[in-house]
């Protein structure tokens, strides 16, 4: 039996387990199982690997995309560059870290991206944000990170995001968990009234399908997209990596 799974905490509303279980059934893939492994601390990771010698691959989600890196035997160039890993291939006791967020985000972002989308705001500074930064740099889109506690020249606080900043930055990407189920009445604190039909709001959250962040953008005529397509692309890229 080939075993795959997801580590993170909490994992009560995981996309991955249902996706892969359905994939195995629909595509007639036998001898495979995908499980959730909620780890209250990254300190539990070594024991997980030791106690499950038939693990072939893992996905990694909040809050361990950065914390898992010291446990890796090898890293892809993307993981080395951005310092975040969300996919691990396990072979002969060796753990190779990959990042499928990059592929998932780029391919999901592109369809609604317009020529005038030259500047972006990236809300949140976690592991997923690092993949977003990588893609924006690749696409030549300048950006600020928006953080509750800005610490670098590339970061600004939510209090600094006024109407002028919103009008200048026509792509806004939420990488934070704000608005994720069950806390669906939350959204990043922004002057949403400054949004226009030229704006593009992308939320990495997929549950609910339309977060309050996206609702407020849609009310102002902005293009909106959630993280569902990104997750599907990521999952398929993980499967390709595990079976390469």
């Amino acid at each position: 039996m080939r075993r795959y799974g997801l580590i993170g905490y909490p994992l009560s509303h995981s996309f991955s387990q249902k996706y892969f279980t359905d994939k195995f059934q629909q595509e007639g893939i036998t001898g495979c199982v995908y499980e959730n492994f909620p780890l209250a601390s990254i300190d539990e990771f070594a024991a997980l690997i030791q106690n499950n010698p038939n693990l072939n691959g893992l996905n990694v989600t909040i809050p361990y995309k950065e914390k898992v890196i010291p446990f890796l035997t090898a890293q892809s160039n993307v993981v080395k560059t951005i310092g975040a890993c969300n996919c691990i291939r396990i072979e002969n006791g060796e753990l190779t870290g990959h990042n499928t967020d990059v592929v998932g985000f780029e391919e999901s972002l592109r369809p609604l991206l317009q020529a005038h989308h030259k500047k972006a705001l990236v809300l949140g500074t976690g592991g997923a944000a690092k993949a977003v930064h990588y893609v924006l740099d690749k696409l030549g889109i300048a950006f600020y990170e928006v953080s509750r506690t800005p610490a670098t020249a590339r970061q600004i606080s939510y209090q600094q995001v006024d109407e002028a900043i919103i009008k200048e930055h026509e792509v806004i990407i939420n990488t934070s968990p704000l608005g994720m189920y069950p806390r669906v009445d939350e959204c990043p604190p922004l002057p949403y009234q400054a949004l226009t039909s030229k704006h593009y709001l992308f939320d990495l959250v997929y549950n609910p399908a339309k977060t309050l962040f996206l609702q407020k953008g849609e009310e102002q005529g902005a293009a909106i997209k959630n993280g569902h397509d990104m997750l599907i692309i990521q999952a398929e890229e993980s499967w390709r990596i595990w079976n390469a």
Side-chain angles (χ1 to χ4, degrees):
M1 179 69 71
R2 293 173 62 84
R3 295 178 75 200
Y4 305 91
L6 173 70
I7 65 164
Y9 195 82
L11 295 179
S12 55
H13 299 282
S14 161
F15 166 91
S16 300
Q17 184 178 37
K18 183 179 187 310
Y19 181 84
F20 279 105
T21 300
D22 289 348
K23 176 182 176 69
F24 297 156
Q25 292 175 349
Q26 292 166 5
E27 298 182 19
I29 299 170
T30 58
C32 293
V33 64
Y34 191 103
E35 303 171 60
N36 283 343
F37 299 105
L39 305 181
S41 166
I42 194 63
D43 296 335
E44 300 174 14
F45 182 73
L48 171 70
I49 297 299
Q50 185 175 355
N51 296 335
N52 294 276
N54 59 340
L55 265 177
N56 296 97
L58 288 170
N59 289 124
V60 184
T61 190
I62 295 171
Y64 299 132
K65 292 184 182 185
E66 297 157 303
K67 294 177 181 178
V68 77
I69 288 178
F71 297 90
L72 301 175
T73 311
Q75 303 173 34
S76 71
N77 289 334
V78 172
V79 173
K80 289 178 183 177
T81 300
I82 70 177
C85 164
N86 77 324
C87 175
I88 301 172
R89 175 174 171 150
I90 305 171
E91 189 174 28
N92 299 322
E94 296 199 342
L95 280 64
T96 303
H98 298 265
N99 190 296
T100 63
D101 279 336
V102 166
V103 174
F105 177 66
E106 182 175 356
E107 292 189 13
S108 185
L109 179 75
R110 279 185 178 275
L112 297 180
L113 205 59
Q114 302 295 322
H116 64 269
H117 289 143
K118 299 295 186 184
K119 293 185 178 182
L121 297 176
V122 181
L123 313 180
T125 57
K130 292 186 173 183
V132 170
H133 301 164
Y134 183 91
V135 172
L136 294 178
D137 282 336
K138 178 182 175 182
L139 297 177
I141 298 174
F143 65 90
Y144 276 124
E145 301 171 63
V146 184
S147 170
R148 289 173 296 178
T149 54
T152 71
R154 214 175 193 183
Q155 294 181 350
I156 59 176
S157 69
Y158 281 96
Q159 289 76 19
Q160 289 174 276
V161 181
D162 56 16
E163 292 196 11
I165 293 284
I166 289 289
K167 288 177 180 177
E168 187 180 354
H169 297 78
E170 293 180 335
V171 179
I172 306 177
I173 302 151
N174 179 41
T175 72
S176 80
L178 282 171
M180 183 185 295
Y181 182 87
R183 301 168 72 172
V184 298
D185 58 344
E186 296 181 346
C187 66
L190 302 173
Y192 290 95
Q193 68 277 8
L195 296 172
T196 69
S197 59
K198 290 186 175 182
H199 281 84
Y200 178 9
L201 272 59
F202 191 108
D203 200 331
L204 270 62
V205 172
Y206 67 94
N207 184 14
K210 193 181 292 183
T211 58
L212 187 56
F213 168 72
L214 293 182
Q215 290 176 42
K216 287 178 174 288
E218 188 176 54
E219 288 169 3
Q220 299 297 121
I224 63 170
K225 190 163 189 179
N226 68 18
H228 186 261
D229 288 352
M230 177 177 170
L231 281 171
I232 292 173
I233 296 165
Q234 287 173 311
E236 290 300 323
E237 181 68 5
S238 292
W239 186 246
R240 185 192 67 77
I241 289 168
W242 296 330
N243 293 280

